[in-house]
Each structure stands twice: as structure tokens, then as C-alpha cells.
Amino acid sequence: MQNKTFYIKTMGCQMNEYDSDFLTQSLISSGFSRVDNLKYADIILINTCTVRAKPEQKAYSLLGRMSELKQENSGLIIGVIGCLAQQKGHELMKRFPQLDFVMGPRELGRIKEILRRIDTNGEKFVATHLEPAPPQPVICQGYFDGKVTGYLSIMEGCNNFCSYCIVPYVRGREISRSPEEIMIEAKNLISEGIKEITLLGQNVNSYRWEGVEKWNFVSLLREITKLDGLLRLRFTTSHPKDLSEQLIHCFGDLDKLCPHIHLPFQAGANLVLKRMKRGYTREKYIDLIDKLRTVRPDIGITSDVMVGFPGESEQDFDMTLNLIKRVQFDSLFSFKYSDRKGTLAAKMGDKVDEADKSSRLSALQNLQKQISLKKNRALEGKRLEVLVEGYSKRGGQISGRTGSNKVVNFIGDNSYITNLVTVTIKHGFLNSLHGELFFENNSLTG
Ligand code: SAH
Ligand code: SF4
Ligand code: F3S
């Protein structure tokens, strides 16, 4: 099996990216090598998402194309991993007989064993147990070369069962990792050159550990920010119902904690929030935002929202628009509600028409575009600290992000990459800022 090449395609959220990094490092450390071109792969791994209908459809079309490749090369091994794999299990095998294995997120630790068995006996596998704890990460020296930012998963799964959401069914019950493991992984990432860590969890702020010592999310943040060599700490995704006063105060107290929070609100009408089983009201959500801005006026606030939840009326939708106007988010991820089989909302009546969902979504996105642009323009003339991550997408410039998580492109040479620099913002665009270098490592350059 060793010396075989693998190609990995990741769809879905940061959790899946983290899992793909885990798999990649675990395979490389056992002698496999990664290729970026499908043509040269002995093994193809597709890490899937099923949170909405769209990513599910995208995964099916990719699996269809991969299956065709196997008709040309029967020695190819194809595995589907991730949340769609967990949800569909054997069904995927039936629909795509070319697949060799289907593996859920909690079984990823078995990858080498399963590949070996496929190679020696030609067996097929469906590994979708949800009981195991998430696998222990492997750090492969040099894997993060050239990277400045990295993810660290501190908890897996979710116990909230929001009525529309498939995640608790495909990621299992909430389980936190021990503070010892987390600190070791954070130190490893830093020694591999990572300067900014983003802590990950579906419900990251409900982290708790009840060992000899009791830990919660705030104590974990305090401990991680003490690590030498770490310049910045972020976390995602937070749930409004678990956003404590102590956590809000961390944005004022902890220098390395970036002034940014991703705090999904999902809907602006209380009756809809109730049917979604979110556990807060719009008033409570607005109060949290006001508190965050009191502690940290420059905090970047981003969120998730959906339109067309079953029973959402035009008035309910107006309440969503109204909340967006009141809060003034820096940016928003917005989605059309889609039924997820097995969830409570899928069984609810009073479904909203596709056409209504589409028109609500575009009205919402138009409103948010105006707000995002206005907020980015308001930064013109300000000096902001930027962690330089690499070259900008357009080329000719370097690029990084502000603490509030906005992309800034500016002219500078590659020696600034991995450093914190101060940039004067010259132009605010819809999705990024353009700036001019002001300070580099606290020495005046302009
Ligand atoms: N754990 C995070 C987000 C998980 S999924 C949280 O608690 O908020 C990412 C986003 O997908 C959600 O915030 C929600 O806006 C959206 N989403 C989840 N299920 C959906 C569904 N059935 N239809 C449409 N959007 C959905
Ligand atoms: Fe899904 Fe709700 Fe859990 Fe987020 S908190 S993962 S939306 S069930
Ligand atoms: Fe998708 Fe699974 Fe993430 S369903 S959003 S990849 S947790």
C-alpha cells in the first residue's frame, strides 16, 4: 500500500478541512504521497457535506464523475468520507457501485486499516459508527510550510438539534477534547510556523472539560493565548445561547484574541426562532451584539441566516431584514432553507415556495451588500493591524486579514509574509480592502 498516491477533495465547512488535513497527514506519515492532479492518483478521497440540498447535489455529481474514472482504471480506489457518507452509508454504495468505501467523520482513524484491507482482499467498507471519539491528530513535520493560519478542533458534534439541522445526526453527540491534547496540538502548530489558530467546533463556546480540573471555553482561551509564538487566536462557530458575559469580556481582556465573532442568528422573527429551536429571541440576540460592541467597538460581526423556513411569512421575513439593518453585520452567509430528511423541520407543513425563497434571498443579499460596502468604506483612512498570509489572489500584491477578519491587499514584498504589519486603508470594496503599508514590525516604513 505504501508509495501509493492519493488525491483528496474537500467540500463543506472548516470541520471538513480540518478532517482532510488530519487524513492527509496521517497518510503521508505512513508513506503515501499526495497529488494535486486526479490523473496521477491511486486513491481518490471525497470529503462531503450534507448540510443543505446544494452541497449534497454537488457531492453526487462529483461522485458520478469519479465513478467514470474507475471504469477507465479498475485499480483505482475511491472513498467517500464526511457528513454525506455518514448520512447515506450503504445507500451511497448502491447508488455508486464503483465506490470502495464510505466512511463517517468519527471513523477516520481507521483509514490506513481500511485501505490495507481493500488492497489485500478487495473488500468494500461502510464505516459509519458515531460512538468513537474523534481520532487523534497526527502532525506531519513540514505539512504547514508556507501557511500562516491553522485550524484546531476542540470539540466535535452537536447536542442542540436545531429543527432544520442535520449536523447532530451526522457528527454525533457533542464531545470535547481534553485541554492537554488541545495544548499539545496548539504548541505543535506553532512550532510548525502557524501564527494564527482558529479553534473549531460546531458549537465551540459550549466547550467544557470535567477532568481533575474543570475547564470551560473561557479558561481554554486564556491558556492558549499565553502560548509564546502565537500571534492571534480566533474561534468558530459560536451559538448565541452559550455566549456568556465572561466570553464577551475576553474580547476586551485577551490581546491575542481577534476582534471578530461569527454568531449565526438564522432568523429575525421570534416565532420562527422558536420553531427552529434556537433557544434565544431576537431581543436577546441584539442585546448580545450591543454588549460585544460595548466591550470591543471595532469587533467584526458576521453571521448565518436562512430564508424560507417552513411557515416563514412575509412579515417574518421583514423581521429578518429589520434585524440585519439594526445589527449592521460586516458580512453574512445566507441560504435558502432546504429539507434535511430526518429533521423535525422536514416534517413541518406550510413549506415556502422556491420562488418566494429565491426572491427573499436576493432581497436580503442586496441589503447586506449595501451594508458590507458601507462598513468597508468607513474604514478608509484607518490604520489596522494585518497578519500577512501570502500573495493576493490578483497577484502583484500581498494579502492578509485584519483582526476583524477582513481581507486587505497591499503592495509589499514577500518578506512581510507571516508578520503583523500596520496598514493604512485606502479603499473599501464589497469583499476586501485595499491598503498601503504603514508599519512593519513596529518600525516606520512610510
Ligand atoms: N454550527 C453552526 C452552523 C452549522 S451549519 C451553528 O450552530 O450555527 C452552517 C449553516 O448552514 C447554519 O448556520 C445555517 O444557516 C445553515 N443551514 C443548516 N441547515 C440548513 C438547512 N436545512 N437549510 C438551509 N440552511 C441550513
Ligand atoms: Fe446545527 Fe444548531 Fe448544532 Fe449549529 S447548533 S450544528 S445549526 S443543530
Ligand atoms: Fe457540512 Fe458536515 Fe460541516 S454537514 S457544514 S461538512 S459539519
Side-chain angles (χ1 to χ4, degrees), residues 164-218:
Y164 51 81
C165 186
I166 195 73
V167 171
Y169 304 91
V170 291
R171 287 269 168 179
R173 292 296 74 72
E174 212 169 278
I175 175 166
S176 291
R177 291 177 65 201
S178 79
E180 291 78 20
E181 277 169 37
I182 294 170
M183 292 308 287
I184 291 173
E185 193 171 335
K187 286 178 193 159
N188 281 337
L189 287 170
I190 295 166
S191 67
E192 287 294 311
I194 296 296
K195 307 282 188 212
E196 176 185 300
I197 292 178
T198 301
L199 304 179
L200 296 182
Q202 283 303 339
N203 198 5
V204 75
N205 50 345
S206 72
Y207 175 87
R208 72 189 69 251
W209 181 257
E210 314 245 318
V212 184
E213 276 180 68
K214 289 201 186 342
W215 289 64
N216 62 19
F217 188 54
V218 169

Short mmCIF file of all heavy atoms in Angstrom, two decimals, residues 164-218:
data_model
loop_
_atom_site.label_atom_id
_atom_site.label_comp_id
_atom_site.label_asym_id
_atom_site.label_seq_id
_atom_site.Cartn_x
_atom_site.Cartn_y
_atom_site.Cartn_z
N TYR A 164 -34.00 22.35 11.89
CA TYR A 164 -33.70 22.22 10.45
C TYR A 164 -32.41 21.45 10.18
O TYR A 164 -32.09 21.17 9.03
CB TYR A 164 -33.54 23.63 9.84
CG TYR A 164 -32.57 24.50 10.63
CD1 TYR A 164 -31.20 24.37 10.45
CD2 TYR A 164 -33.04 25.39 11.59
CE1 TYR A 164 -30.32 25.12 11.22
CE2 TYR A 164 -32.16 26.15 12.35
CZ TYR A 164 -30.80 26.00 12.16
OH TYR A 164 -29.93 26.72 12.93
N CYS A 165 -31.63 21.12 11.22
CA CYS A 165 -30.22 20.82 11.02
C CYS A 165 -29.86 19.33 11.09
O CYS A 165 -30.26 18.61 12.00
CB CYS A 165 -29.40 21.60 12.04
SG CYS A 165 -27.62 21.44 11.78
N ILE A 166 -29.05 18.91 10.14
CA ILE A 166 -28.65 17.51 10.04
C ILE A 166 -27.38 17.22 10.86
O ILE A 166 -27.08 16.05 11.14
CB ILE A 166 -28.43 17.14 8.54
CG1 ILE A 166 -28.37 15.64 8.30
CG2 ILE A 166 -27.17 17.80 7.97
CD1 ILE A 166 -29.68 14.94 8.41
N VAL A 167 -26.66 18.29 11.24
CA VAL A 167 -25.34 18.09 11.85
C VAL A 167 -25.34 17.14 13.06
O VAL A 167 -24.49 16.23 13.13
CB VAL A 167 -24.67 19.45 12.19
CG1 VAL A 167 -23.42 19.27 13.02
CG2 VAL A 167 -24.34 20.20 10.90
N PRO A 168 -26.28 17.26 14.02
CA PRO A 168 -26.22 16.34 15.15
C PRO A 168 -26.34 14.87 14.74
O PRO A 168 -25.86 13.98 15.43
CB PRO A 168 -27.41 16.75 16.01
CG PRO A 168 -27.67 18.18 15.64
CD PRO A 168 -27.34 18.27 14.18
N TYR A 169 -27.02 14.62 13.60
CA TYR A 169 -27.20 13.24 13.14
C TYR A 169 -25.96 12.70 12.44
O TYR A 169 -25.76 11.50 12.37
CB TYR A 169 -28.40 13.15 12.18
CG TYR A 169 -29.68 13.67 12.79
CD1 TYR A 169 -30.05 15.00 12.63
CD2 TYR A 169 -30.50 12.83 13.55
CE1 TYR A 169 -31.22 15.50 13.20
CE2 TYR A 169 -31.67 13.32 14.12
CZ TYR A 169 -32.01 14.65 13.94
OH TYR A 169 -33.17 15.13 14.51
N VAL A 170 -25.17 13.60 11.86
CA VAL A 170 -24.03 13.10 11.09
C VAL A 170 -22.69 13.31 11.80
O VAL A 170 -21.69 12.69 11.44
CB VAL A 170 -23.96 13.73 9.67
CG1 VAL A 170 -25.11 13.23 8.82
CG2 VAL A 170 -23.94 15.24 9.71
N ARG A 171 -22.67 14.17 12.80
CA ARG A 171 -21.43 14.40 13.55
C ARG A 171 -21.52 13.84 14.96
O ARG A 171 -20.56 13.90 15.71
CB ARG A 171 -21.12 15.90 13.62
CG ARG A 171 -20.64 16.47 12.30
CD ARG A 171 -19.13 16.41 12.22
NE ARG A 171 -18.65 16.68 10.89
CZ ARG A 171 -17.35 16.69 10.58
NH1 ARG A 171 -16.43 16.44 11.48
NH2 ARG A 171 -16.96 16.93 9.35
N GLY A 172 -22.71 13.34 15.33
CA GLY A 172 -22.86 12.71 16.63
C GLY A 172 -23.01 13.70 17.77
O GLY A 172 -23.11 14.91 17.56
N ARG A 173 -23.04 13.11 19.00
CA ARG A 173 -23.21 13.94 20.20
C ARG A 173 -21.94 14.74 20.46
O ARG A 173 -20.84 14.36 20.07
CB ARG A 173 -23.48 13.07 21.43
CG ARG A 173 -24.81 12.31 21.51
CD ARG A 173 -26.01 13.22 21.57
NE ARG A 173 -26.23 13.82 20.23
CZ ARG A 173 -26.69 13.14 19.18
NH1 ARG A 173 -26.99 11.86 19.30
NH2 ARG A 173 -26.85 13.73 18.01
N GLU A 174 -22.16 15.86 21.15
CA GLU A 174 -21.07 16.77 21.47
C GLU A 174 -20.02 16.08 22.33
O GLU A 174 -20.35 15.45 23.32
CB GLU A 174 -21.68 17.92 22.27
CG GLU A 174 -21.04 19.24 22.09
CD GLU A 174 -21.90 20.33 22.72
OE1 GLU A 174 -22.86 20.77 22.06
OE2 GLU A 174 -21.62 20.70 23.85
N ILE A 175 -18.77 16.20 21.91
CA ILE A 175 -17.70 15.65 22.73
C ILE A 175 -16.50 16.61 22.67
O ILE A 175 -16.06 16.99 21.60
CB ILE A 175 -17.34 14.20 22.31
CG1 ILE A 175 -16.14 13.67 23.08
CG2 ILE A 175 -17.11 14.04 20.83
CD1 ILE A 175 -15.96 12.16 22.95
N SER A 176 -16.03 17.02 23.87
CA SER A 176 -14.91 17.97 23.93
C SER A 176 -13.61 17.21 24.07
O SER A 176 -13.57 16.15 24.69
CB SER A 176 -15.06 18.88 25.14
OG SER A 176 -16.15 19.76 24.97
N ARG A 177 -12.55 17.75 23.50
CA ARG A 177 -11.22 17.12 23.66
C ARG A 177 -10.59 17.64 24.95
O ARG A 177 -10.92 18.72 25.43
CB ARG A 177 -10.34 17.49 22.47
CG ARG A 177 -10.79 16.83 21.19
CD ARG A 177 -9.95 17.25 20.03
NE ARG A 177 -8.57 16.80 20.15
CZ ARG A 177 -7.54 17.34 19.51
NH1 ARG A 177 -7.72 18.38 18.73
NH2 ARG A 177 -6.33 16.86 19.66
N SER A 178 -9.64 16.88 25.49
CA SER A 178 -9.05 17.30 26.76
C SER A 178 -8.16 18.51 26.53
O SER A 178 -7.55 18.66 25.47
CB SER A 178 -8.24 16.15 27.37
OG SER A 178 -6.98 16.07 26.71
N PRO A 179 -8.07 19.38 27.57
CA PRO A 179 -7.21 20.57 27.44
C PRO A 179 -5.76 20.19 27.15
O PRO A 179 -5.09 20.89 26.39
CB PRO A 179 -7.32 21.27 28.78
CG PRO A 179 -8.39 20.59 29.53
CD PRO A 179 -8.78 19.34 28.85
N GLU A 180 -5.31 19.05 27.70
CA GLU A 180 -3.92 18.63 27.47
C GLU A 180 -3.68 18.40 25.97
O GLU A 180 -2.72 18.88 25.40
CB GLU A 180 -3.57 17.33 28.23
CG GLU A 180 -3.51 17.47 29.74
CD GLU A 180 -4.89 17.50 30.38
OE1 GLU A 180 -5.87 17.06 29.75
OE2 GLU A 180 -5.00 18.01 31.51
N GLU A 181 -4.60 17.61 25.36
CA GLU A 181 -4.45 17.32 23.92
C GLU A 181 -4.48 18.61 23.10
O GLU A 181 -3.73 18.77 22.14
CB GLU A 181 -5.62 16.48 23.43
CG GLU A 181 -5.51 15.00 23.66
CD GLU A 181 -6.86 14.34 23.38
OE1 GLU A 181 -7.57 14.76 22.43
OE2 GLU A 181 -7.17 13.42 24.13
N ILE A 182 -5.39 19.49 23.48
CA ILE A 182 -5.54 20.74 22.72
C ILE A 182 -4.27 21.58 22.83
O ILE A 182 -3.78 22.10 21.82
CB ILE A 182 -6.78 21.52 23.23
CG1 ILE A 182 -8.04 20.72 22.93
CG2 ILE A 182 -6.84 22.91 22.61
CD1 ILE A 182 -9.30 21.27 23.58
N MET A 183 -3.71 21.66 24.05
CA MET A 183 -2.50 22.48 24.22
C MET A 183 -1.34 21.87 23.44
O MET A 183 -0.54 22.60 22.84
CB MET A 183 -2.13 22.60 25.72
CG MET A 183 -3.11 23.39 26.55
SD MET A 183 -3.50 25.03 25.90
CE MET A 183 -1.99 25.89 26.27
N ILE A 184 -1.23 20.54 23.44
CA ILE A 184 -0.14 19.90 22.69
C ILE A 184 -0.29 20.23 21.20
O ILE A 184 0.67 20.61 20.53
CB ILE A 184 -0.13 18.37 22.91
CG1 ILE A 184 0.28 18.06 24.35
CG2 ILE A 184 0.80 17.66 21.91
CD1 ILE A 184 0.17 16.60 24.74
N GLU A 185 -1.52 20.11 20.70
CA GLU A 185 -1.70 20.38 19.27
C GLU A 185 -1.43 21.85 18.94
O GLU A 185 -0.84 22.16 17.90
CB GLU A 185 -3.11 19.98 18.84
CG GLU A 185 -3.25 19.94 17.34
CD GLU A 185 -4.57 19.34 16.88
OE1 GLU A 185 -5.16 18.55 17.63
OE2 GLU A 185 -5.00 19.66 15.76
N ALA A 186 -1.84 22.74 19.85
CA ALA A 186 -1.58 24.18 19.60
C ALA A 186 -0.08 24.42 19.55
O ALA A 186 0.42 25.12 18.66
CB ALA A 186 -2.24 25.02 20.70
N LYS A 187 0.66 23.83 20.49
CA LYS A 187 2.13 24.03 20.51
C LYS A 187 2.76 23.46 19.24
O LYS A 187 3.67 24.05 18.66
CB LYS A 187 2.75 23.37 21.74
CG LYS A 187 2.47 24.16 23.01
CD LYS A 187 3.06 23.45 24.22
CE LYS A 187 2.53 24.06 25.49
NZ LYS A 187 2.65 23.17 26.65
N ASN A 188 2.26 22.30 18.81
CA ASN A 188 2.79 21.70 17.58
C ASN A 188 2.55 22.62 16.38
O ASN A 188 3.45 22.80 15.55
CB ASN A 188 2.11 20.35 17.28
CG ASN A 188 2.70 19.24 18.12
OD1 ASN A 188 3.85 19.35 18.58
ND2 ASN A 188 1.94 18.20 18.35
N LEU A 189 1.35 23.16 16.30
CA LEU A 189 1.04 24.05 15.17
C LEU A 189 1.98 25.25 15.18
O LEU A 189 2.51 25.65 14.15
CB LEU A 189 -0.42 24.53 15.24
CG LEU A 189 -1.49 23.50 14.89
CD1 LEU A 189 -2.88 24.02 15.24
CD2 LEU A 189 -1.45 23.15 13.39
N ILE A 190 2.20 25.80 16.38
CA ILE A 190 3.08 26.97 16.48
C ILE A 190 4.51 26.58 16.07
O ILE A 190 5.17 27.31 15.33
CB ILE A 190 3.04 27.56 17.92
CG1 ILE A 190 1.63 28.08 18.20
CG2 ILE A 190 4.08 28.67 18.09
CD1 ILE A 190 1.35 28.38 19.67
N SER A 191 4.95 25.41 16.53
CA SER A 191 6.32 25.04 16.16
C SER A 191 6.44 24.72 14.66
O SER A 191 7.51 24.77 14.09
CB SER A 191 6.87 23.90 17.03
OG SER A 191 6.14 22.76 16.73
N GLU A 192 5.31 24.46 14.01
CA GLU A 192 5.31 24.26 12.55
C GLU A 192 5.16 25.58 11.80
O GLU A 192 4.95 25.59 10.59
CB GLU A 192 4.19 23.30 12.15
CG GLU A 192 4.44 21.84 12.52
CD GLU A 192 5.62 21.24 11.77
OE1 GLU A 192 5.67 21.38 10.54
OE2 GLU A 192 6.50 20.63 12.42
N GLY A 193 5.16 26.69 12.52
CA GLY A 193 5.15 28.00 11.85
C GLY A 193 3.80 28.70 11.81
O GLY A 193 3.69 29.79 11.25
N ILE A 194 2.76 28.07 12.39
CA ILE A 194 1.43 28.70 12.38
C ILE A 194 1.41 29.87 13.38
O ILE A 194 1.84 29.72 14.53
CB ILE A 194 0.34 27.65 12.73
CG1 ILE A 194 0.27 26.56 11.65
CG2 ILE A 194 -1.01 28.29 12.99
CD1 ILE A 194 -0.15 27.02 10.29
N LYS A 195 0.91 31.01 12.94
CA LYS A 195 0.87 32.21 13.79
C LYS A 195 -0.54 32.53 14.28
O LYS A 195 -0.72 33.29 15.21
CB LYS A 195 1.36 33.44 13.00
CG LYS A 195 2.71 33.29 12.34
CD LYS A 195 3.80 33.44 13.35
CE LYS A 195 5.13 33.49 12.64
NZ LYS A 195 6.19 32.91 13.43
N GLU A 196 -1.51 32.02 13.55
CA GLU A 196 -2.89 32.31 13.92
C GLU A 196 -3.67 31.00 13.95
O GLU A 196 -3.70 30.28 12.96
CB GLU A 196 -3.51 33.26 12.88
CG GLU A 196 -4.98 33.53 13.13
CD GLU A 196 -5.62 34.37 12.02
OE1 GLU A 196 -5.17 35.51 11.80
OE2 GLU A 196 -6.57 33.87 11.39
N ILE A 197 -4.27 30.71 15.11
CA ILE A 197 -5.04 29.46 15.24
C ILE A 197 -6.52 29.80 15.33
O ILE A 197 -6.91 30.73 16.04
CB ILE A 197 -4.59 28.68 16.51
CG1 ILE A 197 -3.16 28.16 16.33
CG2 ILE A 197 -5.54 27.53 16.81
CD1 ILE A 197 -2.60 27.42 17.53
N THR A 198 -7.33 29.03 14.60
CA THR A 198 -8.79 29.15 14.74
C THR A 198 -9.29 27.87 15.42
O THR A 198 -9.12 26.78 14.88
CB THR A 198 -9.48 29.32 13.37
OG1 THR A 198 -8.95 30.50 12.75
CG2 THR A 198 -10.98 29.48 13.52
N LEU A 199 -9.89 28.04 16.60
CA LEU A 199 -10.45 26.89 17.31
C LEU A 199 -11.78 26.54 16.67
O LEU A 199 -12.60 27.42 16.39
CB LEU A 199 -10.66 27.22 18.78
CG LEU A 199 -9.44 27.71 19.55
CD1 LEU A 199 -9.81 28.04 20.99
CD2 LEU A 199 -8.32 26.67 19.50
N LEU A 200 -11.99 25.26 16.42
CA LEU A 200 -13.20 24.83 15.72
C LEU A 200 -14.11 23.97 16.59
O LEU A 200 -13.63 23.15 17.38
CB LEU A 200 -12.83 23.96 14.51
CG LEU A 200 -12.05 24.58 13.37
CD1 LEU A 200 -11.86 23.53 12.28
CD2 LEU A 200 -12.77 25.80 12.82
N GLY A 201 -15.39 24.15 16.38
CA GLY A 201 -16.40 23.28 16.97
C GLY A 201 -17.73 23.70 16.38
O GLY A 201 -17.90 24.87 16.03
N GLN A 202 -18.67 22.76 16.25
CA GLN A 202 -20.00 23.14 15.72
C GLN A 202 -20.65 24.13 16.66
O GLN A 202 -21.50 24.92 16.26
CB GLN A 202 -20.89 21.90 15.60
CG GLN A 202 -20.57 21.03 14.44
CD GLN A 202 -20.64 21.78 13.14
OE1 GLN A 202 -21.29 22.83 13.04
NE2 GLN A 202 -19.98 21.28 12.13
N ASN A 203 -20.25 24.05 17.91
CA ASN A 203 -20.88 24.86 18.94
C ASN A 203 -19.76 25.20 19.90
O ASN A 203 -19.78 24.81 21.06
CB ASN A 203 -21.92 23.95 19.59
CG ASN A 203 -22.93 24.71 20.33
OD1 ASN A 203 -22.94 25.93 20.32
ND2 ASN A 203 -23.78 24.00 21.03
N VAL A 204 -18.77 25.89 19.40
CA VAL A 204 -17.45 25.95 20.03
C VAL A 204 -17.48 26.50 21.45
O VAL A 204 -16.74 26.04 22.33
CB VAL A 204 -16.47 26.72 19.10
CG1 VAL A 204 -16.71 28.21 19.15
CG2 VAL A 204 -15.02 26.41 19.37
N ASN A 205 -18.40 27.45 21.69
CA ASN A 205 -18.40 28.06 23.02
C ASN A 205 -19.11 27.23 24.08
O ASN A 205 -19.18 27.63 25.24
CB ASN A 205 -18.96 29.50 22.97
CG ASN A 205 -20.27 29.60 22.22
OD1 ASN A 205 -20.67 28.70 21.51
ND2 ASN A 205 -20.96 30.70 22.40
N SER A 206 -19.61 26.04 23.71
CA SER A 206 -20.14 25.19 24.78
C SER A 206 -19.07 24.17 25.20
O SER A 206 -19.37 23.21 25.92
CB SER A 206 -21.43 24.49 24.33
OG SER A 206 -21.15 23.50 23.39
N TYR A 207 -17.81 24.43 24.80
CA TYR A 207 -16.70 23.55 25.22
C TYR A 207 -16.69 23.41 26.74
O TYR A 207 -16.78 24.41 27.46
CB TYR A 207 -15.35 24.16 24.77
CG TYR A 207 -14.17 23.34 25.27
CD1 TYR A 207 -13.70 22.26 24.56
CD2 TYR A 207 -13.56 23.66 26.50
CE1 TYR A 207 -12.64 21.49 25.05
CE2 TYR A 207 -12.52 22.90 27.00
CZ TYR A 207 -12.06 21.82 26.26
OH TYR A 207 -11.02 21.05 26.75
N ARG A 208 -16.58 22.18 27.22
CA ARG A 208 -16.31 22.00 28.65
C ARG A 208 -15.57 20.71 28.87
O ARG A 208 -15.74 19.73 28.13
CB ARG A 208 -17.57 22.11 29.51
CG ARG A 208 -18.57 20.94 29.43
CD ARG A 208 -19.84 21.28 30.15
NE ARG A 208 -20.57 22.32 29.43
CZ ARG A 208 -20.70 23.57 29.85
NH1 ARG A 208 -20.22 23.95 30.99
NH2 ARG A 208 -21.36 24.44 29.11
N TRP A 209 -14.75 20.70 29.91
CA TRP A 209 -13.98 19.51 30.23
C TRP A 209 -14.05 19.30 31.73
O TRP A 209 -13.71 20.18 32.51
CB TRP A 209 -12.52 19.67 29.77
CG TRP A 209 -11.71 18.46 30.07
CD1 TRP A 209 -10.81 18.30 31.09
CD2 TRP A 209 -11.74 17.22 29.36
NE1 TRP A 209 -10.27 17.04 31.04
CE2 TRP A 209 -10.82 16.36 30.00
CE3 TRP A 209 -12.46 16.75 28.24
CZ2 TRP A 209 -10.61 15.05 29.55
CZ3 TRP A 209 -12.24 15.45 27.82
CH2 TRP A 209 -11.32 14.63 28.46
N GLU A 210 -14.53 18.11 32.13
CA GLU A 210 -14.69 17.85 33.55
C GLU A 210 -13.72 16.77 33.98
O GLU A 210 -14.10 15.67 34.28
CB GLU A 210 -16.13 17.40 33.85
CG GLU A 210 -17.19 18.24 33.19
CD GLU A 210 -18.06 19.00 34.16
OE1 GLU A 210 -18.44 18.38 35.16
OE2 GLU A 210 -18.33 20.18 33.92
N GLY A 211 -12.43 17.09 33.97
CA GLY A 211 -11.44 16.14 34.45
C GLY A 211 -11.10 16.47 35.89
O GLY A 211 -11.97 16.92 36.64
N VAL A 212 -9.84 16.26 36.29
CA VAL A 212 -9.43 16.61 37.65
C VAL A 212 -9.69 18.12 37.84
O VAL A 212 -10.21 18.56 38.85
CB VAL A 212 -7.93 16.30 37.85
CG1 VAL A 212 -7.50 16.57 39.29
CG2 VAL A 212 -7.63 14.86 37.43
N GLU A 213 -9.36 18.87 36.80
CA GLU A 213 -9.69 20.30 36.81
C GLU A 213 -10.88 20.51 35.90
O GLU A 213 -11.02 19.82 34.90
CB GLU A 213 -8.53 21.10 36.20
CG GLU A 213 -7.42 21.43 37.14
CD GLU A 213 -6.35 22.21 36.37
OE1 GLU A 213 -6.63 23.34 35.97
OE2 GLU A 213 -5.28 21.63 36.14
N LYS A 214 -11.70 21.48 36.23
CA LYS A 214 -12.82 21.81 35.33
C LYS A 214 -12.41 22.94 34.40
O LYS A 214 -11.84 23.94 34.84
CB LYS A 214 -14.03 22.25 36.15
CG LYS A 214 -14.67 21.12 36.92
CD LYS A 214 -16.08 21.49 37.28
CE LYS A 214 -16.78 20.48 38.17
NZ LYS A 214 -16.24 19.14 38.25
N TRP A 215 -12.68 22.77 33.13
CA TRP A 215 -12.35 23.79 32.13
C TRP A 215 -13.62 24.18 31.39
O TRP A 215 -14.47 23.34 31.15
CB TRP A 215 -11.37 23.25 31.09
CG TRP A 215 -9.99 23.03 31.57
CD1 TRP A 215 -9.58 22.14 32.52
CD2 TRP A 215 -8.81 23.69 31.10
NE1 TRP A 215 -8.23 22.21 32.67
CE2 TRP A 215 -7.72 23.15 31.81
CE3 TRP A 215 -8.58 24.68 30.15
CZ2 TRP A 215 -6.42 23.57 31.60
CZ3 TRP A 215 -7.28 25.10 29.94
CH2 TRP A 215 -6.21 24.56 30.67
N ASN A 216 -13.68 25.43 31.01
CA ASN A 216 -14.71 25.83 30.06
C ASN A 216 -14.05 26.56 28.92
O ASN A 216 -12.82 26.64 28.85
CB ASN A 216 -15.81 26.65 30.75
CG ASN A 216 -15.28 27.94 31.33
OD1 ASN A 216 -14.19 28.41 30.95
ND2 ASN A 216 -16.01 28.51 32.25
N PHE A 217 -14.85 27.12 28.02
CA PHE A 217 -14.27 27.73 26.83
C PHE A 217 -13.38 28.93 27.19
O PHE A 217 -12.31 29.11 26.62
CB PHE A 217 -15.39 28.14 25.87
CG PHE A 217 -14.90 28.60 24.55
CD1 PHE A 217 -14.07 27.81 23.78
CD2 PHE A 217 -15.27 29.84 24.05
CE1 PHE A 217 -13.59 28.23 22.54
CE2 PHE A 217 -14.81 30.27 22.82
CZ PHE A 217 -13.97 29.47 22.07
N VAL A 218 -13.83 29.71 28.18
CA VAL A 218 -13.06 30.90 28.56
C VAL A 218 -11.70 30.50 29.14
O VAL A 218 -10.66 31.08 28.79
CB VAL A 218 -13.88 31.78 29.54
CG1 VAL A 218 -13.02 32.87 30.16
CG2 VAL A 218 -15.08 32.38 28.82
#
